[in-house]
Amino acid sequence: MKKKKRRLRKKRIRNCLIGLILLIGVGIGGFSYFQYIHSNSYLLKQIGYQKDEIEIILKQSPKEIDTILKKEYHKNMVSLLQEQYFLLDHLDRYLAYSKKHPNKSMKDVVTLVNVNRDREFYENSKKTDTSKKELMLVNKYYALGKDYQPTNIVSISNQYCYGENEIKEEVFDAFLDMWNAAKKENLTLIITSSYRDYETQEILWNRYKDQQGQAWADSISARAGSSEHQTGYTLDIVTYNSILNDFENTDEFKWLQKHAHEYGFILRYPKGKEDITGYDYESWHYRYVGVDVAKKIHELGITFDEYYAYFIENK
Ligand SMILES: [Zn+2]
């Protein structure tokens, strides 16, 4: 009788234990399932992303993952994310632009949207942030006001230029260093244009417009406020016996290609980058941005517009 009771109690304890283990098991399982259906991985799968795409998305920052989770599936999303100069703030514009231009690579989409080429020239131009000094951006999307005048302007001696020219002192100092270095190799750099004020640019553009209309004027000249020459950081450089368009065939040009960045200058409108800068190739137009940035731009092989979008405005 006693033995039977003891066996019964043992059995009950064993059943209780089994029950408890089962309960814990179900609990853990349920919790894991709950966790899984709320995981980014599961949610991305629900949106339609494949395993390999999910792996790449999950490597992005929490903010990026969060943004992607709020959007519908997009076949270009993963390629966009992997682009070197991808900016999360531009995601909607990238997607809209790539839809409109299905033949463009994601690299081009990111580059062009970063420099605002998904918008019309001069449409809702932003005001140039002049506090950036030698890194201020002036183009067909960022304009200087009528009242902006650079400080510390010096006139350039005739030894270095054609006609009357003025430029910011720090730019002239850098130019002199560059001029001397070129001279050591029997090369002569000559400035043909430098600081131009708002009014001068206005007169210039209006003259072109009167001659052959607005579209033509826009194709060869910047509108007032949108010319880099107003910054006081820009020089047009040529040499003896060369006019602007011939300059690229001179040894002086070849030397500048190799060395301008060492003195803080960059070729502002390079060949093959017309879509990005919004300007025709100009072998003579150099912009002072300081040695560090000029070196970085030279190294990366990008334009100043791209540099500004990613490394300055994105900060
Ligand atoms: Zn110029």
Side-chain angles (χ1 to χ4, degrees):
M1 196 65 176
K2 257 188 176 178
K3 265 188 181 176
K4 210 178 172 187
K5 253 188 178 176
R6 212 183 295 147
R7 225 182 296 141
L8 213 67
R9 205 167 58 205
K10 265 190 183 172
K11 206 176 171 187
R12 225 180 281 151
I13 292 171
R14 199 180 58 207
N15 285 347
C16 271
L17 276 173
I18 292 171
L20 197 66
I21 290 165
L22 276 174
L23 206 66
I24 292 170
V26 169
I28 292 173
F31 182 66
S32 303
Y33 180 71
F34 176 82
Q35 265 194 326
Y36 173 64
I37 60 165
H38 286 88
S39 69
N40 289 337
S41 176
Y42 177 83
L43 296 171
L44 287 165
K45 202 171 161 193
Q46 293 304 108
I47 295 173
Y49 289 103
Q50 300 297 309
K51 201 171 168 245
D52 50 338
E53 291 177 311
I54 294 172
E55 269 173 29
I56 294 166
I57 295 173
L58 291 179
K59 283 181 193 150
Q60 311 306 312
S61 71
K63 201 176 162 199
E64 284 174 331
I65 296 171
D66 240 34
T67 308
I68 295 161
L69 283 172
K70 286 181 194 133
K71 298 203 177 297
E72 284 176 15
Y73 174 81
H74 203 286
K75 65 178 170 41
N76 292 332
M77 187 68 82
V78 168
S79 334
L80 276 172
L81 287 173
Q82 289 173 297
E83 278 307 321
Q84 188 180 359
Y85 297 111
F86 171 86
L87 293 171
L88 185 64
D89 288 348
H90 290 172
L91 182 56
D92 288 333
R93 285 168 64 192
Y94 296 145
L95 295 173
Y97 193 73
S98 75
K99 196 176 172 189
K100 211 170 160 190
H101 303 273
N103 294 328
K104 288 223 186 286
S105 69
M106 287 309 113
K107 184 177 191 292
D108 284 348
V109 167
V110 167
T111 301
L112 294 170
V113 170
N114 282 2
V115 300
N116 297 301
R117 288 305 305 268
D118 57 334
R119 294 176 176 163
E120 293 294 324
F121 289 150
Y122 302 114
E123 202 182 76
N124 307 319
S125 279
K126 283 190 191 172
K127 225 176 160 196
T128 291
D129 180 359
T130 55
S131 71
K132 299 274 188 282
K133 296 181 179 167
E134 76 276 12
L135 297 178
M136 70 170 80
L137 179 64
V138 174
N139 60 18
K140 291 172 180 174
Y141 302 99
Y142 291 80
L144 291 165
K146 208 173 190 149
D147 52 337
Y148 176 79
Q149 274 185 328
T151 51
N152 301 328
I153 287 282
V154 293
S155 56
I156 303 172
S157 135
N158 276 340
Q159 189 186 349
Y160 306 105
C161 64
Y162 290 141
E164 288 193 2
N165 279 283
E166 293 176 323
I167 200 67
K168 275 183 81 71
E169 196 171 13
E170 62 182 295
V171 182
F172 188 48
D173 289 345
F175 174 79
L176 281 182
D177 288 344
M178 188 161 78
W179 191 91
N180 284 316
K183 203 68 193 167
K184 278 186 190 144
E185 299 189 33
N186 284 324
L187 302 168
T188 308
L189 304 175
I190 304 170
I191 295 167
T192 60
S193 188
S194 46
Y195 167 57
R196 286 201 295 265
D197 62 17
Y198 188 96
E199 284 75 19
T200 309
Q201 193 67 28
E202 200 167 35
I203 292 165
L204 202 69
W205 188 84
N206 281 332
R207 195 189 303 149
Y208 292 134
K209 189 186 155 205
D210 291 344
Q211 282 168 3
Q212 294 193 47
Q214 184 173 308
W216 186 72
D218 276 341
S219 76
I220 60 159
S221 169
R223 292 189 194 173
S226 287
S227 166
E228 257 206 338
H229 284 279
Q230 196 188 335
T231 63
Y233 289 107
T234 294
L235 294 172
D236 288 344
I237 301 172
V238 293
T239 187
Y240 297 127
N241 305 319
S242 89
I243 50 166
L244 296 178
N245 286 317
D246 289 343
F247 185 58
E248 69 165 323
N249 301 317
T250 64
D251 288 340
E252 279 78 1
F253 172 73
K254 282 167 202 146
W255 186 88
L256 284 173
Q257 286 278 86
K258 273 194 210 149
H259 301 287
H261 64 279
E262 294 163 15
Y263 301 90
F265 290 92
I266 53 160
L267 180 70
R268 184 66 180 85
Y269 307 122
K271 200 179 224 165
K273 305 276 177 124
E274 296 83 350
D275 259 3
I276 301 169
T277 63
Y279 280 91
D280 283 350
Y281 166 51
E282 292 189 357
S283 59
W284 58 88
H285 183 111
Y286 292 84
R287 164 70 191 268
Y288 181 78
V289 290
V291 174
D292 291 346
V293 172
K295 280 185 176 168
K296 200 163 176 194
I297 286 175
H298 184 80
E299 224 170 79
L300 295 170
I302 57 177
T303 61
F304 184 58
D305 308 86
E306 292 163 86
Y307 182 87
Y308 189 88
Y310 196 79
F311 294 102
I312 300 179
E313 200 168 43
N314 185 37
K315 282 269 145 50

